[in-house]
Amino acid sequence: MPNMKIYVDRSLPEQSHLNIEAALVPLRKLLCERLDVNINACQFAVIPVYAMADLPAVNLELFLLPKAERTRQKLMDLATEIQQLVGDAAITQVAVRISQLDPATFIALK
């Protein structure tokens, strides 16, 4: 159940925005493989924002439900892969945050 939000600074060049859009399919593939989920479990949003000049121009937040095999090290490795993939697309610094949700309080209707 990867729920990803990508906040992209509006001031980035148009090519960066197009590259990020093109990276969504490889990004989804990466998440499905590393997290062992089906494509229909993924939720993505790319949100244009006004970012401060001294902060990363792209901020990515990934929320997911915990599983025993999703160790801190595996999630750190995933964050590094995501940062590389999106950073290469955006041609800028990317911040990645991963949070695990509480399955007792999480509700999703599709």
Side-chain angles (χ1 to χ4, degrees):
M1 183 247 68
N3 182 333
M4 179 175 288
K5 295 179 181 136
I6 306 171
Y7 301 94
V8 181
D9 189 339
R10 292 173 182 258
S11 70
L12 284 177
E14 181 181 358
Q15 191 60 52
S16 291
H17 291 269
L18 295 172
N19 291 350
I20 291 169
E21 181 180 349
L24 292 178
V25 171
L27 184 56
R28 181 179 63 185
K29 183 176 187 256
L30 173 69
L31 291 177
C32 289
E33 290 173 359
R34 297 296 184 272
L35 299 173
D36 192 28
V37 297
N38 292 323
I39 287 174
N40 62 355
C42 298
Q43 173 65 42
F44 285 77
V46 178
I47 305 162
V49 298
Y50 295 101
M52 296 170 68
D54 58 345
L55 297 176
V58 178
N59 284 274
L60 188 146
E61 297 177 351
L62 175 61
F63 300 95
L64 46 90
L65 292 170
K67 285 189 174 181
E69 62 272 12
R70 293 180 184 164
T71 63
R72 180 172 180 79
Q73 186 57 54
K74 285 187 179 179
L75 294 178
M76 288 288 295
D77 293 345
L78 176 61
T80 301
E81 287 184 89
I82 291 169
Q83 188 175 47
Q84 183 68 49
L85 192 156
V86 178
D88 287 350
I91 314 166
T92 189
Q93 181 183 3
V94 175
V96 176
R97 294 170 184 82
I98 299 178
S99 298
Q100 296 191 66
L101 302 169
D102 180 357
T105 60
F106 178 75
I107 298 170
L109 299 175
K110 290 187 177 188

